[in-house]
Amino acid sequence: MTADEALSDTLRAALWAARRGWFVHPLRPDDKPPLWGDWEHRATVDPDVIRSWPKRTTGYGIACGPSRLVVVDGDVPKPDTPPPPADGIRDGLDMLAYLAEQRGASIEWGTFQVTTGRNGAHLYYQAPDGVDLRNTAYDPRRDPSSYLGWCIDTRAAGGYVVGPGSVVNGKRYTTLHSGAPTALPGWILLLLTSRTHGQAASQGRGFGTGSAAAASSSAGSTTVGREWVEAAMGGELDKLRAHPGTQGGRNVLLNSVSYTLGRLVGAGVVDRLAVAEQLLDETARWWGVGGFTRAEAEATIRSGLAGGERNPRVLSPREERRHAA
């Protein structure tokens, strides 16, 4: 028997997480709170440090900030939780799927996933560069703009999640899907990002130019990170790229994507001309399909952008609340 095989299941699970590059710290026995007050600074990937943790350790946390993770926590409603916003939504994962469906988007279910002690789920995503995401927590008493959705929390910089293999309140957190964390979907990033976070992450840098960023900041416009813009734009443009250009839903989709990006134009975070040009470029392969013309594309784009500009997106600051998911 090796030295590591003699360790508890929890310590071996923490070592496994550390080998993936995730910074870990011990929790109080059979509970969620950290064992250390300065857990984020002491979180480690050093196996010798992990082996020195108290033998009574039954759970460990993964510090999302240093681990470069954003974790979406789809929770199960408690008895006093208000009803969901629509029929058929049973828990936080259903709510996440509902949010995606509303936006014509998708969820990367192949990302690393953990089943929680209450039969909820943690979806692990790679933290995007250039934007300072913090924690959000569902609270029906607060403004809905302060959290992602009904029974959904998120953990990022300044937060942690209970790691797989931990036991909390007698219930084990288990790995549901062991694939590597995928990139945070652009539509989730767009919902989570606030004006304050974007400015902090950019460190005074503008968008720059180019079709990928599809933006060029003008004097007095809001400054956010290039990566934020690319992710927000990419999530919408991917919808156009996935459409074959046939008549079914073509104009509706183009108008919807144009409207969404028009809201960013109205917020002052992207340049209207650059966005319009990028949208037109993406529809070029549709021209001539089912009688669709460039002029029709231009008219739909103009209408959608104008509608979005009249309703600019408000990038409300996200309030950091609880730490542990």
Side-chain angles (χ1 to χ4, degrees):
M1 177 182 293
T2 66
D4 281 358
E5 286 175 337
L7 296 173
S8 69
D9 290 344
T10 299
L11 291 183
R12 283 190 279 116
L15 287 169
W16 172 86
R19 286 194 294 271
R20 298 190 75 140
W22 298 342
F23 287 70
V24 297
H25 58 93
L27 304 178
R28 295 177 186 172
D30 202 34
D31 208 349
K32 287 184 180 181
L35 187 64
W36 304 325
D38 55 347
W39 57 268
E40 189 166 27
H41 295 102
R42 295 180 64 179
T44 184
V45 292
D46 187 331
D48 290 334
V49 174
I50 296 169
R51 293 186 186 104
S52 71
W53 288 357
K55 289 184 171 54
R56 70 180 189 280
T57 300
T58 62
Y60 69 97
I62 297 174
C64 295
S67 302
R68 301 296 300 147
L69 292 171
V70 175
V71 178
V72 177
D73 175 16
D75 207 354
V76 175
K78 299 178 176 64
D80 59 347
T81 301
D87 292 339
I89 298 177
R90 299 161 299 178
D91 53 30
L93 284 190
D94 282 347
M95 184 66 201
L96 191 66
Y98 174 74
L99 291 173
E101 182 180 359
Q102 281 187 316
R103 290 156 179 80
S106 61
I107 301 169
E108 181 49 74
W109 296 111
T111 196
F112 186 87
Q113 292 185 49
V114 172
T115 299
T116 70
R118 297 186 61 246
N119 292 319
H122 289 169
L123 277 62
Y124 287 50
Y125 293 107
Q126 299 169 14
D129 295 329
V131 59
D132 180 26
L133 293 178
R134 308 294 288 185
N135 303 319
T136 70
Y138 168 66
D139 185 341
R141 299 166 299 179
R142 306 301 295 268
D143 186 335
S145 68
S146 68
Y147 52 82
L148 190 59
W150 182 83
C151 285
I152 302 175
D153 298 342
T154 63
R155 293 294 175 266
Y160 67 88
V161 290
V162 176
S166 298
V167 176
V168 173
N169 296 325
K171 296 180 179 178
R172 187 174 298 275
Y173 283 59
T174 59
T175 300
L176 180 63
H177 193 288
S178 59
T182 60
L184 182 68
W187 67 273
I188 296 179
L189 175 61
L190 186 62
L191 288 175
L192 290 177
T193 306
S194 73
R195 187 183 302 272
T196 300
H197 292 159
Q199 290 173 337
S202 70
Q203 296 180 345
R205 291 178 291 124
F207 297 108
T209 58
S211 60
S216 176
S217 58
S218 58
S221 66
T222 302
T223 302
V224 298
R226 179 194 300 272
E227 293 83 1
W228 185 92
V229 175
E230 291 177 348
M233 287 287 297
E236 292 301 313
L237 295 175
D238 281 347
K239 300 175 187 177
L240 300 181
R241 294 165 184 150
H243 196 285
T246 51
Q247 289 182 339
R250 179 179 55 200
N251 273 13
V252 173
L253 175 63
L254 181 56
N255 184 74
S256 173
V257 170
S258 300
Y259 175 85
T260 299
L261 297 183
R263 297 189 69 197
L264 296 181
V265 173
V269 298
V270 290
D271 178 74
R272 189 183 199 282
L273 180 59
V275 171
E277 290 177 347
Q278 182 73 0
L279 287 167
L280 192 61
D281 286 346
E282 294 297 341
T283 64
R285 62 187 176 83
W286 297 355
W287 303 346
V289 177
F292 190 71
T293 65
R294 172 175 178 147
E296 186 176 356
E298 290 176 336
T300 302
I301 291 169
R302 281 197 303 271
S303 175
L305 287 176
E309 286 181 89
R310 289 193 295 270
N311 183 27
R313 180 169 178 81
V314 178
L315 304 177
S316 304
R318 301 281 176 185
E319 181 180 6
E320 178 182 357
R321 293 199 289 271
R322 302 190 311 251
H323 284 305

